Amino acid sequence: QGQLVESGGGLVQAGGSLRLSCAASGTIRSIISMGWYRQVSGKQREMVATIARGGETNYADSVKGRFTISRDYAKNTVHLQMNSLKPEDTAVYYCNTNMWLAGAISNDYYWGQGTQVTVSS
């Protein structure tokens, strides 16, 4: 069974920083990609940042230059360093991992439970 455990959310003032972490667990055959998505109540979930197994990264235009995604390969963990936070960054942030678990037919997408990030004015 695959599982994603998130940490690092919280309440900060505009201009502050947070670092989100997500650790994938299970008998993992391979991880294809990991990423962070966010969702505001009443709106669709959107991609924030992703990182592929080769290290290639992609960012939403709204966070470029402020957020950095990285992986700790030894711990199957992805991080999202969020700097210069703005009130519009307020959302529930979800970790997503495309991975192939031992015993599974193929790779699949797995979601974390979500962690609240609130940025005050």
Side-chain angles (χ1 to χ4, degrees), residues 5-55:
V5 179
E6 299 166 312
S7 62
L11 172 65
V12 297
Q13 294 263 57
S17 298
L18 286 173
R19 190 168 105 129
L20 306 183
S21 298
C22 172
S25 64
T27 307
I28 302 171
R29 189 180 301 277
S30 64
I31 294 177
I32 290 80
S33 64
M34 305 184 81
W36 290 94
Y37 296 72
R38 65 188 181 188
Q39 186 170 25
V40 178
S41 181
K43 300 181 69 175
Q44 292 187 317
R45 190 171 300 183
E46 65 176 0
M47 187 274 289
V48 176
T50 62
I51 183 166
R53 55 185 161 190

Side-chain angles (χ1 to χ4, degrees), residues 10-106:
L11 172 65
V12 297
Q13 294 263 57
S17 298
L18 286 173
R19 190 168 105 129
L20 306 183
S21 298
C22 172
S25 64
T27 307
I28 302 171
R29 189 180 301 277
S30 64
I31 294 177
I32 290 80
S33 64
M34 305 184 81
W36 290 94
Y37 296 72
R38 65 188 181 188
Q39 186 170 25
V40 178
S41 181
K43 300 181 69 175
Q44 292 187 317
R45 190 171 300 183
E46 65 176 0
M47 187 274 289
V48 176
T50 62
I51 183 166
R53 55 185 161 190
E56 302 89 347
T57 59
N58 285 290
Y59 296 92
D61 288 342
S62 60
V63 307
K64 285 182 177 178
R66 300 188 297 120
F67 292 9
T68 302
I69 189 169
S70 62
R71 280 184 63 179
D72 183 335
Y73 288 90
K75 297 181 178 180
N76 293 320
T77 300
V78 63
H79 306 281
L80 185 68
Q81 179 66 46
M82 304 186 293
N83 298 326
S84 302
L85 284 162
K86 304 175 181 179
E88 50 262 46
D89 294 318
T90 295
V92 177
Y93 284 69
Y94 296 89
C95 177
N96 177 261
T97 300
N98 185 345
M99 60 183 176
W100 196 342
L101 300 179
I105 297 173
S106 64

